[in-house]
Amino acid sequence: ATKGTFYFMNKAYIQVDFKGLSPEKVDILIAMLSEAGWEGFEETEDRFSAYIPEDEFQEENLKAMAGTDHYTVTTVPYINWNQRWESSFEPVMVDDFCAVRAGFHAPVENVRYEIVITPKQSFGTGHHATTWLMMKRMEQIDFTGKMVFDFGTGTGVLAILAEKAGAVEVLGIDYDTWSMENAQENGEANNCHHIRWELADHVPTEGQFEIILANINKNVITGHFKSLADRLTSGGTLLLSGLLTTDEEDILAGAQNEGLKFMDRMERAGWICLSFKG
């Protein structure tokens, strides 16, 4: 399954392929390479690939971040990335609860909610285990008439699902401009009218939410635990993912420090989703 889908301009790129990396190492590399200007990432069952414009590639910097020279470097001429995405993207099914598909797919029958997206550089197609876990766990939550906050919205798919499931107001934020543009486009494509999108890298300092969704990563979650707990209503639900099984102990400790009550966990392919009550 693809972890990130992206849109590249009309220029050549460098593709770097790694094999045999742990999910945790991939997560760390994505964070480091993103900060260094790398523009796309792709993860399959046996390979992790990263992309950067050819004129910005500096191999010595890559070696320093990767901590290894066990990778292959390929120059990729301009490709119609939208066409490549269309040829490889398949609809994602979360049982009979939700389907995530592209606009060029036929409508999916016999699901409660259908989401149509066109991801650019944003994560969150539903293919990655964490997005799937979040959507699956959302099936058990009553969103009717609720105020929802989606922290790190990416493609906006979780915010869109929250509105479709009955949320009266949704705030979706992300620090990435590509993500914001993409989320807004996807929201419009799904006829969403109750989502407010904001370009931000922190939890709001005011307002209360009955449901908070955060599919990001351990460091961002632990760095914002107090803010997340402060914004959650008493008895509200906090749903966390973007987490590896090895992150669980630290997340549980952080939640306990903020007075949050652990409810349950789900696991898929080495990733976990944890839910808490305020």
Side-chain angles (χ1 to χ4, degrees), residues 77-200:
Y78 168 69
I79 293 175
N80 184 329
W81 289 93
N82 283 345
Q83 186 178 67
R84 172 172 167 169
W85 174 67
E86 290 182 10
S87 68
S88 61
F89 182 86
E90 294 296 333
V92 176
M93 303 293 296
V94 183
D95 300 326
D96 59 356
F97 173 61
C98 177
V100 181
R101 68 173 177 87
F104 52 80
H105 289 134
V108 179
E109 305 292 338
N110 303 316
V111 291
R112 198 183 316 173
Y113 304 113
E114 184 182 52
I115 299 173
V116 180
I117 66 169
T118 304
K120 292 185 177 178
Q121 287 182 316
S122 312
F123 291 156
T125 61
H127 287 87
H128 194 246
T130 60
T131 312
W132 190 96
L133 283 168
M134 290 287 285
M135 292 190 292
K136 180 61 179 174
R137 185 60 182 82
M138 288 170 70
E139 183 178 7
Q140 304 170 38
I141 300 173
D142 181 8
F143 283 85
T144 307
K146 300 291 174 51
M147 304 279 286
V148 179
F149 172 43
D150 182 17
F151 185 33
T153 194
T155 57
V157 66
L158 300 182
I160 293 167
L161 179 57
E163 175 172 329
K164 286 180 177 287
V168 68
E169 185 175 324
V170 183
L171 170 62
I173 73 168
D174 204 290
Y175 74 93
D176 181 71
T177 303
W178 274 97
S179 293
M180 275 293 92
E181 294 176 358
N182 192 201
Q184 290 173 0
E185 292 172 4
N186 289 332
E188 292 172 3
N190 287 274
N191 298 312
C192 292
H193 304 288
H194 304 289
I195 304 175
R196 179 163 50 97
W197 308 104
E198 287 188 7
L199 184 67

